[in-house]
Amino acid sequence: MAAGSTIDALGQFELHPVLGQIGEALRFSQSPLFMLIAIVAVLAFLYLGMRPAAVVPGRLQAAAELGYDFIHNMATETIGKEGTAFFPFVFAIFFFILAGNYLGLIPYCFTFTSHIAVTASLAILVFLVSILASFKYQGVKFFTHFMPEGAPVFLAPLLIPIEILSFLSRPVSLSIRLFANMMAGHVLLEVFAGFTLMLAGLGAFGSVLAVAPVVINVALTALELLVGVLQAYVFAILTCIYLREAVAH
């Protein structure tokens, strides 16, 4: 928000206790609160969408079926026949991130996907699931990933550490990509909203100039709607790719 002549673009990401004294005692901030809201919103969407079970679906049912089919096809086409087993996991990841991204665009709401702690937790979860899947489907052959096939044995001391670092970088890149995109978008929205308030306070001429940042913010909001679903898709498709590598040597 604009405070005097300054714009506090990062203040929106600060965590503070909610729900009064209960929140103070439990250190319950707005981040887990909106995670719960996101979960409830997704479950309500799926329940209300699929409840009619009509042969000719309405808009809500069509949207729920489209989301189901989209993620199911992504999982099975990317992972393979084993994708059906991982479909619920990928589905939950996609809609949880999507709900978090879009909730942040509603006034007075909080974008929990703009916190690195949240995105890193999701990325580590995906990383651990892919490792467990690797041991389940490949066993000890999983470790052969770290020595490229056909490479000279004398290069093993160089290649193995490089491959291990590359493998361990997956959750880092996965978490930073989502966090950075969501944070950057909301910072820009806050900055141009602050410009609007600052210019509007300069009188009639300032109010005319304030139209420009308003138009930019409208365009940024449309872009954030696109980025919100795109980042959820990228996170989900990379999850599928990692699981594909886990189930197919």
Side-chain angles (χ1 to χ4, degrees):
M1 294 296 292
S5 60
T6 63
I7 300 174
D8 182 14
L10 299 179
Q12 60 182 311
F13 305 111
E14 294 179 1
L15 297 177
H16 54 78
V18 295
L19 303 181
Q21 293 182 347
I22 297 177
E24 288 278 0
L26 299 177
R27 296 294 189 269
F28 190 76
S29 68
Q30 69 270 41
S31 183
L33 173 63
F34 279 96
M35 290 184 201
L36 293 175
I37 293 174
I39 293 171
V40 171
V42 171
L43 292 177
F45 163 69
L46 294 174
Y47 175 75
L48 295 175
M50 300 308 297
R51 185 180 180 184
V55 177
V56 180
R59 293 181 181 178
L60 195 59
Q61 182 179 339
E65 291 178 353
L66 178 63
Y68 181 96
D69 290 339
F70 176 71
I71 303 301
H72 185 268
N73 291 338
M74 179 198 300
T76 54
E77 291 175 4
T78 306
I79 301 174
K81 62 181 181 179
E82 296 86 356
T84 303
F86 294 104
F87 162 68
F89 177 67
V90 179
F91 185 89
I93 287 284
F94 175 84
F95 275 97
F96 180 70
I97 293 175
L98 182 65
N101 293 348
Y102 279 175
L103 275 175
L105 295 175
I106 301 174
Y108 304 107
C109 289
F110 183 79
T111 313
F112 56 80
T113 49
S114 64
H115 270 224
I116 188 65
V118 175
T119 60
S121 298
L122 292 173
I124 291 172
L125 175 62
V126 171
F127 185 65
L128 293 177
V129 169
S130 67
I131 290 178
L132 292 175
S134 296
F135 282 116
K136 177 181 178 180
Y137 288 94
Q138 300 180 34
V140 294
K141 290 183 178 180
F142 163 70
F143 295 104
T144 61
H145 282 290
F146 303 117
M147 182 60 186
E149 186 177 355
V153 177
F154 69 89
L155 289 178
L158 176 63
L159 295 177
I160 292 177
I162 293 175
E163 291 295 327
I164 291 175
L165 284 175
S166 175
F167 184 73
L168 294 178
S169 69
R170 289 181 173 183
V172 177
S173 62
L174 199 59
S175 59
I176 290 179
R177 182 184 295 105
L178 176 58
F179 147 75
N181 277 278
M182 300 314 301
M183 184 178 184
H186 284 272
V187 166
L188 287 174
L189 287 172
E190 188 78 9
V191 168
F192 284 103
F195 284 157
T196 302
L197 295 176
M198 292 171 61
L199 291 172
L202 299 178
F205 182 68
S207 298
V208 174
L209 294 178
V211 173
V214 169
V215 172
I216 293 175
N217 248 11
V218 170
L220 286 174
T221 301
L223 180 61
E224 281 297 290
L225 289 171
L226 175 62
V227 170
V229 68
L230 182 61
Q231 287 304 313
Y233 170 77
V234 169
F235 203 101
I237 193 66
L238 287 176
T239 299
C240 291
I241 291 173
Y242 296 157
L243 291 173
R244 169 64 181 174
E245 293 180 357
V247 302
H249 181 57

